[in-house]
Amino acid sequence: MVPHPRAGKQRQRQRQGRGARAGSRSRAAGQQQQPQQRRGAEPPSRARAMGLVVHLLACLLGTGAWVAINGVWVELPLLVPEVPEGWLLPAYITVITQLANGGPLAVTLLHRFLPGRLSEAGLIYALAGLGCLACLLLAAFWRETSLVGGSHHSTALLALLFCLALVDCTSSVTFLPYMRRLRPRYLTSYFLGEGLSGLLPGLVALGQGVGAVRCVNGSQAGNATGLRAEHQAARFPVQGFFLFLGGMMALCLAAFALLHHLPLARRERAKDSRPEPLQLEDAGGGRGSVQAPPAGGRAFGSGAYSCPQVACIFGVLAWVNALTNGVLPAVQSYSCLPYGNSAYHLAATLASLANPLACLVGMLLPSRSLLLLGALSALGSLVASYILAVAVLSPCPPLLHVPTGAVLIVLCWVLFTGTLSYVKLMIGVILRDEGHGALVWCGAVVQLGSMAGALTMFPLVSVYSLFRAGDPCSPSCPG
């Protein structure tokens, strides 16, 4: 049967109409997608600039983590002669800092038993604001004393130092977990800022003239050797240094506000790390989803490390922080001062510089190898053993009368700080991938390790007087 010509023309017009409608739809979809692509695509130069801004903000947030207490420690040579506690003030600060560890303990318990109830951002705002206020009040009232138990005490100074210690200790379980909201590369910038929180106050204190000592003729004062150590006057007062610390805390507060609200910082938020649901089709043609199992066996949080590996990581983290934050700082003066005041200041300054440099190395050459981190921890522990041995032998350590001794002790401090700072950074990167809970426990373990180291050294230094300081102007060791 031959088809009618008119029917064939109608079918052809229908096919052309359908094709025209499909073409118009595809052109309309393409026109809608083009502006979306133009809006979503950022020029490489602008993307890099935005990334640098977020890196800077993360670094400034990290500087506020420990800048206040680190600043107080480097200012001690000017505080001690002016307060009734005298050289017992470092012991008071140690005890106050350990009491302030109740803050991170409370935060950790709240995360454990009341998950989701604590506003992390609100707590960070409160901590940074408290740090700013405490530094400003210190600048005004650090000399104020009151009568307690029949003797004068620096109650205002000690109370405000407790506030600063509470801010710094609690930052370990608030600032660090917050960084998981951003992409992993910004965690290194945060640790770089933490390193600068020790370096910047030290550099300002050096410019202030803290600890500058000269040997003057003291024969008329009854000095047998004819020389005595005299501390030189500071270039600017203690009030100015506390205002500098307040400014650093204000920068930290402003950096966090920008990180939390700035649109370009919000675009750098990390994506959800949970595994994507797998779409499966059942026998009846319907579709369902199941959660993909994590790779690598048993996982802590969202990562792929087994429970023994995570326990080992936390053990190394506690040990490293016990050495860097508790044990070795207590004996730095005993290990360095016998070699001279210059060796002491070089060791303190270069060791503070080694921390941010180690973070830069971690940014360029990251490694998650647990074997390498264990080897670096062992190397740092060996160097720490030498430093402790030198401190125990003070005021007559080995190589005292040759330049090699001073060079060696300075290099040991730089190597010790640099290697263990790299270990702490890489452990933070590893635990960042383990989930928010792992970072909270990371901060808690940091504080527990630091507390254990400080409480171990406190009686050895302050009660049993195991270490003796050397006098750079009156050496008593045989040549």
Side-chain angles (χ1 to χ4, degrees), residues 29-43 46-47 50 267:
Q31 291 172 358
Q32 291 175 359
Q33 289 175 359
Q34 285 177 2
Q36 291 177 358
Q37 291 173 357
R38 286 195 296 266
R39 288 193 299 267
E42 295 285 351
R46 185 179 178 185
M50 291 192 305
R267 286 197 290 268

Side-chain angles (χ1 to χ4, degrees), residues 182-365:
L182 301 177
R183 294 179 181 177
R185 60 175 176 265
Y186 297 112
L187 187 62
T188 304
S189 299
Y190 173 83
F191 279 108
L192 176 63
E194 273 199 354
L196 291 175
S197 71
L199 176 64
L200 294 179
L203 293 178
V204 173
L206 283 177
Q208 186 185 16
V210 171
V213 177
R214 63 177 179 177
C215 299
V216 298
N217 192 346
S219 57
Q220 296 180 355
N223 192 315
T225 64
L227 294 175
R228 64 183 177 87
E230 182 181 87
H231 290 272
Q232 299 181 18
R235 295 183 179 89
F236 56 88
V238 174
Q239 289 91 333
F241 188 82
F242 283 137
L243 289 176
F244 160 74
L245 295 182
M248 293 294 297
M249 290 303 303
L251 282 176
C252 170
L253 178 59
F256 174 72
L258 292 174
L259 274 179
H260 196 59
H261 297 288
L262 203 63
L264 67 88
R266 286 181 172 273
R267 286 197 290 268
E268 296 298 310
R269 295 286 177 92
K271 295 180 180 179
D272 192 359
S273 59
R274 290 175 298 183
E276 293 289 333
L278 298 179
Q279 297 293 331
L280 300 180
E281 185 170 346
D282 57 23
R287 299 184 68 84
S289 64
V290 296
Q291 199 73 15
R298 295 183 62 183
F300 182 90
S302 61
Y305 290 94
S306 65
C307 288
Q309 287 175 323
V310 172
C312 179
I313 290 171
F314 278 132
V316 171
L317 183 65
W319 170 253
V320 166
N321 280 278
L323 290 179
T324 56
N325 300 339
V327 177
L328 269 296
V331 299
Q332 186 172 35
S333 60
Y334 299 102
S335 65
C336 298
L337 274 179
Y339 296 101
N341 201 58
S342 298
Y344 174 60
H345 282 290
L346 273 176
T349 304
L350 294 180
S352 298
L353 184 61
N355 193 318
L357 286 179
C359 293
L360 287 177
V361 172
M363 184 183 297
L364 299 174
L365 300 172

Side-chain angles (χ1 to χ4, degrees), residues 71-87 89-90 93 142-143 154 157 201-213 230-242 344-345:
V72 171
W73 278 106
V74 299
E75 195 72 359
L76 280 179
L78 295 182
L79 292 175
V80 164
E82 304 292 335
V83 297
E85 290 79 10
W87 277 110
L89 183 60
I93 295 177
W142 72 274
R143 291 178 181 270
S154 305
L157 175 66
L203 293 178
V204 173
L206 283 177
Q208 186 185 16
V210 171
V213 177
E230 182 181 87
H231 290 272
Q232 299 181 18
R235 295 183 179 89
F236 56 88
V238 174
Q239 289 91 333
F241 188 82
F242 283 137
Y344 174 60
H345 282 290

Side-chain angles (χ1 to χ4, degrees), residues 428-439:
V429 171
I430 289 173
L431 293 179
R432 190 256 175 218
D433 294 338
E434 292 294 313
H436 180 274
L439 282 180

Side-chain angles (χ1 to χ4, degrees), residues 65-245:
W66 282 96
V67 69
I69 290 297
N70 286 337
V72 171
W73 278 106
V74 299
E75 195 72 359
L76 280 179
L78 295 182
L79 292 175
V80 164
E82 304 292 335
V83 297
E85 290 79 10
W87 277 110
L88 285 177
L89 183 60
Y92 279 97
I93 295 177
T94 302
V95 174
I96 285 172
T97 304
Q98 304 319 313
L99 291 176
N101 277 310
L105 177 62
V107 172
T108 305
L109 292 177
L110 283 174
H111 278 296
R112 174 66 178 84
F113 295 107
L114 296 173
R117 300 290 183 87
L118 187 63
S119 173
E120 205 166 54
L123 184 57
I124 294 175
Y125 276 124
L127 290 174
L130 178 61
C132 293
L133 180 62
C135 289
L136 294 178
L137 292 177
L138 274 174
F141 301 110
W142 72 274
R143 291 178 181 270
E144 300 297 323
T145 61
S146 59
L147 199 63
V148 178
S151 59
H152 287 278
H153 288 279
S154 305
T155 48
L157 175 66
L158 296 177
L160 292 172
L161 287 181
F162 174 78
C163 293
L164 291 181
L166 183 65
V167 170
D168 290 359
C169 292
T170 312
S171 70
S172 296
V173 293
T174 51
F175 290 13
L176 190 58
Y178 180 84
M179 288 303 299
R180 192 176 183 273
R181 301 188 184 189
L182 301 177
R183 294 179 181 177
R185 60 175 176 265
Y186 297 112
L187 187 62
T188 304
S189 299
Y190 173 83
F191 279 108
L192 176 63
E194 273 199 354
L196 291 175
S197 71
L199 176 64
L200 294 179
L203 293 178
V204 173
L206 283 177
Q208 186 185 16
V210 171
V213 177
R214 63 177 179 177
C215 299
V216 298
N217 192 346
S219 57
Q220 296 180 355
N223 192 315
T225 64
L227 294 175
R228 64 183 177 87
E230 182 181 87
H231 290 272
Q232 299 181 18
R235 295 183 179 89
F236 56 88
V238 174
Q239 289 91 333
F241 188 82
F242 283 137
L243 289 176
F244 160 74
L245 295 182

